[in-house]
Amino acid sequence: MRKITFLLASFLITYTVLAQVPGGGNRGAGGRQMPNGSFYGKLIEAKSAKPIEYASVQLLQNKFDSASKKRKETVVAGMLTKANGEFLLENVPVFGQYKLKVTVVGFKPYEQTVSFDIKMNGGDMSAMMGALDKDLGNIKIDIEEKTLENVTVTSSKPGLQLGIDRKVFNVDKNLVSAGGTAVDIMKNVPSVTVDIDGNVSMRNNTPQIFVDGRPTTMSLDQIPADAIESVEIITNPSAKFDASGGTAGILNVVLKKNKRVGYSGSVRTNVDSRGRVGLGGDLNVRQEKINFFLNANFNQRKSISTGTTDRTTLIGVPNTYLQQTDRSVSQGQFVFLRGGFDYFLDNRNTISISGNMARGRFKPFSESDILIDSLYSTVTSSFSERLSNSNSKFNNGGIALSFKHNFPKQGEELTADVTYNSSKNENDNIVATDYYKLPANTFVNQFKQQQLGNGGNKNLVIQTDYTKPLNEKSKLEMGLRFQIRESETRNDFYSFATGMAVNDPLLSINYNNTDNVYAAYTTYSNKIKDFGYQLGLRVESSEYEGRLPDKNQVFSIKFPVSLFPSVFLNQKLKNDQDLQLNYTRKINRPNFFQLYPFTDYSDSLNISRGNPNLEPEFTNSLELSYQKTFKNRDNFIASLYYKNTTGLITRYQVKEVNPSNNKDMLVNTYINASSSYVTGLELVSKNKITKWWDLTTNLNLFTSKINLNDPTQPEQEQFASWFGKLNNTFKLPKNFSIQLSGEYQSKTVLPPGGSGGNSGGRGGGGGMFGGGGMFGQASAAQGYVKANYYVDGGIRYEFLKNKQASLSLNVNDIFRTRRQNIYSESNFFTQEVFRRRDPQVLRLNFSWRFGKFDANLFKRKSNKSQGDGGMEGVNMGQ
């Protein structure tokens, strides 16, 4: 009787289900129709019980593969969880056992065996029918606790994510940088300081700037803030990263790119208080095997800077005192375009192609009043007015091709990348100086000079990386890297002494160079209970060749093979605490301008020349970090760091005779100092003070010392310095939010001026916004930057359904306190430079977001139409 009841129940279940499923459901052997059901549930965080959205949920079944004659797991169904964490897997055959697999970035992988477990229950048909829709309940997912990688602190994206080895600053939470450039973003990034020219330093040294994990030829002021997803701050990179630029670490700019199934995008516009406008938009489409992304931005800029220079020169007869006031205005525009696609060949192989383009045109204008007094007992004075008009433009482009293969074993992968970037710049600058005799203010003469400059950079990186998990707690990583950098520059100077432009060959420059770097690395990571460690070794060699085409001269430098070990130790403590100790060795090779063997006379107050005899500097870095995550997700990190550098590349001054007028002059160049060190304590805290107030604080106390070992130069003064940052975000009623951020920088020793890495400031051939050389940047080995502080603010209102639109207003340097005040001295001069740039600029921004992340939008509808019961490769969408 029970057998008859079971057969009858099975028939009725099959009939009922197939009557509801389009396409007749799955067919078994012999064409018999099999009953289908569904699994549903909800994903939540294990600790906070918050829903987890956009997690990849797959249902797998072990089946016999007729091709390989082996059993293997196949995808039966899959989707991405909704905003509330819910998922529904439909059209699943009711007979058989399945594996539920959940993957989501920042959380531990989760697997569970599931089945429908249909029972007769005494012939209760309603119970059997109810078993076709099985509720898996709330599935708790634990946060990933990686041994040596960044720990994401929440499932959503907070303004700052803290990890012991890196920090991730998410740009969409930053109101004050909307409509600006990457320079505006860096002002709010912990551990980072930015001067008024956009030059970035991290722990008082110049970091390497990466874009999407690779070197770039673009400067930070050429990247729109609206194109940036996040910034990664890596203070002490392991052997996996490039060994160059090791005195400060890496700032990796991650550009926007979405892989979620569906489509999304945004359009935006802005206007500032100087009448400059900006336009931009993003688009992402993910349909089955293709993910396409596009970003475009157009920005106008007007930059105004003012300053004064007071300088006493102690060479020549007589000694002189100079007082100079300056005003510079630069107007222009630039375009940034980025696009590409990912092609998912199958579940395990992906090809990605992306390209970017930046174009800019600017017209800087500056005027200077210069008063010079002789230091005779009877003072004689002269006065001059200098006007400078420039036309500059830049053209940058890049392309990246990458391939990723995921092996069947989870975590095992092979990647290969080819990245090519190029940039070109041109500058036409005419300087006219009128000289007057005092006190009668009698016109004496005019000196007019023209500088025509152009240059370019090409950068090719070929890299492959392989990761092999040895077991659940250990893995091996290795990789190869080859980089070719080519640079060229040409500057021609013309004088108008006869009214016609006459080239001055003594001042003109034509120079190019090639720099090759070869590298290989391997790292081994393991975890023993609560103790984790990573051991790494990188091998690098490089060669440099400089060429003078006009003189048929070539000089080359081959740097020997060097080893760069790294050690990372991590101990998990009780109550969500971590302790980490790490050591790395890095190299800083002299860059193009430091090796440049010719004298640049374009600024009479800052005549400069590179030194082709420079050697690389080597840095040993030691860092001890402590991290505490509190129950309410507040986070605190304390880092004690020490960096010792041998052969430090530092500024140096020499006295020479100017070939154009046979007068004494000072030439700023570079030498290898004996050694130096930087040590400090950095504190970073992220706190949710109330439900409506988030506070991020950053405090860095440090000191540094340069050992020059040159009796002709005064010793560098040593003193303690500190800087602090506060970033407040207030969530107000009616969808309003306010951000107030501020920074205070105490008196700080002048950076040594080494670091061959890209600082993100202006490159050769003139800057985007102008206003650099004429202010007499300090160049001696001794000096300091006076204390400085500023406050930026922004307010945003979000409206429409799901807060798709927003209107924001931001203002920089609210109290007009941000400036640059540098004092420097040597045996030849004393100088103080004061500058202010672009205070109290308001910018109004509008943004509208659109899109739909519905997995069913593009999912395959049925086995009959597509030959696959689930979403192939949904785990690639994270």
Side-chain angles (χ1 to χ4, degrees):
M1 182 66 183
R2 292 196 174 199
K3 291 183 179 179
I4 296 174
T5 304
F6 177 78
L7 291 173
L8 180 60
S10 299
F11 175 79
L12 290 174
I13 290 171
T14 303
Y15 178 82
T16 304
V17 171
L18 295 182
Q20 301 178 36
V21 179
N26 298 330
R27 295 184 177 271
R32 296 191 305 271
Q33 294 180 333
M34 305 296 292
N36 289 348
S38 61
F39 293 104
Y40 64 96
K42 183 176 181 178
L43 300 187
I44 61 174
E45 291 186 27
K47 291 185 178 181
S48 67
K50 293 180 179 179
I52 302 174
E53 60 178 335
Y54 305 127
S56 168
V57 181
Q58 289 182 310
L59 196 65
L60 308 174
Q61 187 175 39
N62 195 292
K63 293 183 178 181
F64 180 77
D65 182 25
S66 59
S68 62
K69 308 298 181 182
K70 297 180 181 179
R71 299 188 69 84
K72 69 175 186 178
E73 289 186 337
T74 59
V75 178
V76 178
M79 68 172 293
L80 302 178
T81 56
K82 299 178 181 179
N84 59 3
E86 294 180 353
F87 65 90
L88 172 63
L89 304 176
E90 300 177 286
N91 301 334
V92 179
V94 298
F95 297 114
Q97 285 215 345
Y98 303 93
K99 180 192 292 184
L100 184 75
K101 183 177 180 180
V102 177
T103 56
V104 57
V105 174
F107 292 83
K108 289 183 177 179
Y110 176 88
E111 293 184 356
Q112 174 187 346
T113 301
V114 296
S115 63
F116 288 97
D117 296 328
I118 296 178
K119 298 179 181 180
M120 298 310 301
N121 292 327
D124 187 347
M125 295 300 298
S126 62
M128 287 186 288
M129 293 299 296
L132 292 178
D133 294 314
K134 185 167 184 177
D135 185 1
L136 300 179
N138 289 340
I139 299 175
K140 297 180 179 181
I141 309 296
D142 292 313
I143 293 177
E144 179 75 80
E145 296 177 350
K146 296 184 179 180
T147 304
L148 295 163
E149 297 182 11
N150 183 47
V151 179
T152 304
V153 298
T154 65
S155 60
S156 61
K157 286 188 177 181
L160 179 68
Q161 296 168 261
L162 299 179
I164 286 185
D165 70 327
R166 73 183 66 187
K167 309 173 189 73
V168 180
F169 184 83
N170 293 306
V171 175
D172 62 340
K173 302 292 183 180
N174 193 53
L175 305 185
V176 298
S177 63
T181 68
V183 173
D184 300 297
I185 291 174
M186 295 301 172
K187 295 175 185 176
N188 293 277
V189 173
S191 307
V192 175
T193 58
V194 184
D195 69 17
I196 62 174
D197 289 318
N199 299 304
V200 173
S201 62
M202 187 161 66
R203 293 180 175 176
N204 209 36
N205 278 288
T206 305
Q208 284 187 294
I209 302 297
F210 282 8
V211 172
D212 289 333
R214 296 291 182 267
T216 180
T217 57
M218 291 188 294
S219 60
L220 291 175
D221 54 10
Q222 296 171 358
I223 306 175
D226 296 323
I228 299 174
E229 179 76 19
S230 62
V231 177
E232 296 179 343
I233 308 103
I234 307 173
T235 56
N236 200 18
S238 69
K240 185 175 180 179
F241 294 91
D242 189 2
S244 301
T247 57
I250 294 172
L251 288 176
N252 182 34
V253 177
V254 181
L255 300 178
K256 288 181 178 178
K257 176 182 174 183
N258 205 331
K259 286 188 178 181
R260 293 170 181 166
V261 174
Y263 67 91
S264 64
S266 68
V267 292
R268 54 190 172 269
T269 184
N270 63 76
V271 60
D272 65 25
S273 54
R274 292 174 176 170
R276 307 296 100 177
V277 300
L279 301 169
D282 307 297
L283 177 65
N284 277 85
V285 178
R286 168 78 186 272
Q287 182 175 0
E288 294 184 354
K289 291 189 173 185
I290 293 182
N291 178 64
F292 171 78
F293 57 94
L294 179 66
N295 176 276
N297 290 271
F298 168 79
N299 288 278
Q300 294 180 328
R301 285 291 182 268
K302 181 178 182 180
S303 178
I304 302 174
S305 58
T306 59
T308 61
T309 301
D310 293 278
R311 176 180 178 126
T312 300
T313 303
L314 305 176
I315 63 173
V317 179
N319 297 164
T320 58
Y321 168 76
L322 177 145
Q323 185 180 53
Q324 178 175 330
T325 59
D326 306 279
R327 186 177 187 272
S328 175
V329 179
S330 178
Q331 300 186 72
Q333 60 193 34
F334 70 100
V335 177
F336 179 86
L337 181 66
R338 178 176 179 264
F341 67 89
D342 306 302
Y343 180 63
F344 306 101
L345 301 173
D346 51 40
N347 279 345
R348 306 195 184 280
N349 298 283
T350 305
I351 293 177
S352 300
I353 299 176
S354 64
N356 63 75
M357 179 271 289
R359 301 285 188 271
R361 304 291 185 271
F362 288 87
K363 294 183 177 181
F365 168 80
S366 64
E367 54 184 352
S368 306
D369 293 333
I370 305 171
L371 175 66
I372 300 178
D373 293 332
S374 68
L375 298 185
Y376 283 130
S377 56
T378 302
V379 176
T380 59
S381 301
S382 63
F383 175 75
S384 58
E385 292 180 333
R386 182 170 66 179
L387 300 179
S388 173
N389 281 284
S390 300
N391 283 283
S392 62
K393 59 182 179 180
F394 67 86
N395 297 278
N396 293 334
I399 187 170
L401 172 65
S402 62
F403 169 77
K404 181 177 182 179
H405 173 71
N406 293 313
F407 292 87
K409 185 175 183 179
Q410 183 177 353
E412 184 178 4
E413 65 179 37
L414 174 69
T415 62
D417 303 89
V418 178
T419 306
Y420 175 77
N421 291 286
S422 67
S423 66
K424 293 183 179 180
N425 55 76
E426 298 179 10
N427 184 60
D428 182 357
N429 183 29
I430 297 180
V431 179
T433 306
D434 293 333
Y435 293 93
Y436 298 86
K437 186 176 181 180
L438 296 179
N441 204 28
T442 305
F443 176 76
V444 178
N445 58 23
Q446 182 185 74
F447 177 76
K448 187 177 180 181
Q449 186 182 57
Q450 182 180 24
Q451 177 186 2
L452 295 176
N454 62 80
N457 293 277
K458 298 178 182 179
N459 193 3
L460 174 67
V461 177
I462 302 174
Q463 181 169 332
T464 181
D465 301 277
Y466 173 68
T467 301
K468 172 70 174 178
L470 304 178
N471 53 49
E472 291 183 356
K473 295 184 178 180
S474 66
K475 67 177 179 179
L476 185 68
E477 296 178 273
M478 58 186 67
L480 300 172
R481 186 173 185 269
F482 172 55
Q483 176 174 309
I484 302 176
R485 290 181 294 191
E486 295 183 355
S487 299
E488 59 181 13
T489 187
R490 184 179 185 96
N491 281 299
D492 291 307
F493 290 84
Y494 298 85
S495 60
F496 294 81
T498 61
M500 300 290 292
V502 179
N503 179 260
D504 189 340
L506 291 177
L507 305 183
S508 298
I509 300 165
N510 185 11
Y511 180 73
N512 59 69
N513 75 290
T514 303
D515 181 19
N516 299 336
V517 180
Y518 316 91
Y521 78 90
T522 183
T523 65
Y524 171 74
S525 305
N526 193 20
K527 186 175 183 180
I528 304 171
K529 294 184 178 179
D530 291 331
F531 175 73
Y533 64 90
Q534 182 193 80
L535 306 176
L537 181 65
R538 188 178 186 91
V539 181
E540 280 195 4
S541 177
S542 64
E543 54 191 20
Y544 177 93
E545 182 179 275
R547 295 170 293 273
L548 308 174
D550 295 341
K551 299 181 179 181
N552 293 321
Q553 294 181 4
V554 177
F555 67 94
S556 60
I557 304 173
K558 189 169 185 179
F559 300 111
V561 175
S562 300
L563 302 179
F564 304 96
S566 68
V567 179
F568 283 69
L569 308 176
N570 186 69
Q571 177 65 50
K572 289 193 67 64
L573 307 176
K574 295 180 180 180
N575 302 320
D576 294 319
Q577 300 178 94
D578 291 88
L579 190 66
Q580 186 182 76
L581 177 67
N582 58 62
Y583 162 80
T584 63
R585 183 175 188 256
K586 298 293 183 180
I587 188 175
N588 177 33
R589 302 177 184 89
N591 65 27
F592 171 74
F593 295 101
Q594 292 166 343
L595 290 170
Y596 191 72
F598 291 98
T599 306
D600 181 4
Y601 296 92
S602 59
D603 185 351
S604 60
L605 291 181
N606 286 284
I607 298 171
S608 61
R609 181 195 305 135
N611 179 5
N613 296 317
L614 286 176
E615 298 288 339
E617 61 184 38
F618 291 91
T619 300
N620 293 283
S621 299
L622 194 66
E623 187 167 343
L624 176 65
S625 297
Y626 164 80
Q627 177 177 246
K628 167 67 176 176
T629 302
F630 298 90
K631 291 183 179 180
N632 62 350
R633 293 307 176 87
D634 285 357
N635 197 291
F636 171 74
I637 289 182
S639 300
L640 183 66
Y641 58 91
Y642 174 80
K643 298 177 183 286
N644 181 273
T645 301
T646 57
L648 177 75
I649 300 173
T650 186
R651 298 181 182 94
Y652 190 77
Q653 276 192 337
V654 294
K655 183 174 71 170
E656 296 183 2
V657 176
N658 191 325
S660 63
N661 56 21
N662 292 322
K663 293 182 178 180
D664 289 338
M665 66 176 184
L666 295 179
V667 178
N668 302 309
T669 185
Y670 296 90
I671 62 169
N672 287 106
S674 176
S675 63
S676 73
Y677 72 84
V678 177
T679 185
L681 172 66
E682 184 175 58
L683 308 175
V684 181
S685 179
K686 186 174 69 66
N687 303 93
K688 193 170 188 64
I689 308 300
T690 67
K691 292 182 179 180
W692 49 269
W693 181 11
D694 291 329
L695 174 66
T696 300
T697 55
N698 176 211
L699 179 66
N700 193 354
L701 305 125
F702 60 94
T703 185
S704 62
K705 175 69 173 177
I706 299 175
N707 299 312
L708 199 58
N709 285 347
D710 185 348
T712 65
Q713 294 289 330
E715 287 191 6
Q716 177 75 41
E717 181 184 2
Q718 184 179 13
F719 50 84
S721 301
W722 67 278
F723 79 82
K725 285 188 176 184
L726 287 177
N727 197 323
N728 300 271
T729 302
F730 305 96
K731 296 180 180 179
L732 305 180
K734 305 296 184 180
N735 296 332
F736 280 93
S737 58
I738 292 177
Q739 180 181 338
L740 284 175
S741 61
E743 177 180 322
Y744 178 85
Q745 173 87 53
S746 74
K747 177 182 175 183
T748 306
V749 67
L750 277 177
S755 189
N758 179 7
S759 69
R762 277 135 211 84
M768 279 183 58
F769 304 140
M774 71 175 181
F775 292 102
Q777 182 80 335
S779 55
Q782 178 166 317
Y784 55 85
V785 182
K786 294 186 177 182
N788 176 46
Y789 70 96
Y790 63 91
V791 176
D792 297 336
I795 182 170
R796 177 165 59 191
Y797 170 62
E798 297 173 297
F799 55 100
L800 298 185
K801 184 179 179 181
N802 299 321
K803 300 180 181 180
Q804 287 181 285
S806 67
L807 194 65
S808 65
L809 177 68
N810 56 49
V811 57
N812 71 306
D813 194 12
I814 296 174
F815 303 109
R816 195 179 172 87
T817 57
R818 190 166 191 252
R819 72 269 189 189
Q820 185 181 65
N821 198 349
I822 299 176
Y823 175 82
S824 56
E825 65 177 350
S826 73
N827 291 331
F828 307 113
F829 79 99
T830 61
Q831 176 175 283
E832 183 169 353
V833 178
F834 177 90
R835 293 187 60 202
R836 178 175 280 120
R837 183 173 184 177
D838 295 333
Q840 298 175 324
V841 176
L842 286 81
R843 184 177 292 116
L844 182 65
N845 308 273
F846 170 77
S847 175
W848 177 64
R849 295 178 293 108
F850 59 89
K852 187 175 183 181
F853 295 131
D854 185 358
N856 295 315
L857 183 64
F858 298 114
K859 73 181 289 186
R860 299 173 179 183
K861 295 300 180 182
S862 66
N863 292 340
K864 184 176 181 179
S865 61
Q866 296 288 346
D868 195 324
M871 286 182 58
E872 183 179 13
V874 293
N875 62 318
M876 298 299 294
Q878 302 299 312

